[in-house]
């Protein structure tokens, strides 16, 4: 499963949401989306995944199956490869 942490007003996050919707439609991969700028509990959850502050912001995505994280906005093909562990 993917967990995507985002800020509701973040333009990079908005573009990534479009890619996650496409990924779900084309590949059947579900994404849990958690807003962090206005939700302290979600921000604390983000901090548990971004332990060393390596990303330090949003969009920030976690692949719970591989344990890998993705920081920032990427193109669709890169996202798809990352999800599949390539």
């Amino acid at each position: 499963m993917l967990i995507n942490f985002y800020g509701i007003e973040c333009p990079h996050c908005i573009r990534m949401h479009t890619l996650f919707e496409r990924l779900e439609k084309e590949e059947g991969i579900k994404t849990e989306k958690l807003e962090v700028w206005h939700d302290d509990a979600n921000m604390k959850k983000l901090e548990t995944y971004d332990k060393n502050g390596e990303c330090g912001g949003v969009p920030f995505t976690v692949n719970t199956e591989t344990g890998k994280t993705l920081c920032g906005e990427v193109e669709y093909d890169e996202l798809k490869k990352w999800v599949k562990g390539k």
Side-chain angles (χ1 to χ4, degrees):
M1 175 164 95
L2 303 179
I3 303 172
N4 173 248
F5 296 95
Y6 72 97
I8 198 159
E9 299 93 352
C10 168
H12 304 285
C13 300
I14 292 167
R15 286 190 288 275
M16 288 298 290
H17 275 251
T18 303
L19 301 184
F20 288 120
E21 288 170 3
R22 181 177 170 192
L23 194 65
E24 183 170 344
K25 184 178 180 181
E26 292 180 5
E27 303 292 326
I29 298 170
K30 302 268 186 207
T31 304
E32 179 180 3
K33 297 172 185 80
L34 300 175
E35 202 287 328
V36 299
W37 287 359
H38 303 284
D39 189 313
D40 292 338
N42 287 344
M43 177 58 85
K44 288 181 183 187
K45 191 169 185 177
L46 180 150
E47 291 168 351
T48 64
Y49 287 105
D50 191 22
K51 294 176 185 153
N52 299 321
E54 292 174 14
C55 186
V58 292
F60 178 71
T61 308
V62 178
N63 185 329
T64 59
E65 291 179 24
T66 66
K68 293 188 178 187
T69 60
L70 182 66
C71 184
E73 180 182 354
V74 298
E75 296 295 325
Y76 181 72
D77 289 338
E78 185 178 345
L79 176 64
K80 190 172 168 181
K81 286 179 186 176
W82 175 80
V83 168
K84 294 185 176 191
K86 297 180 181 179

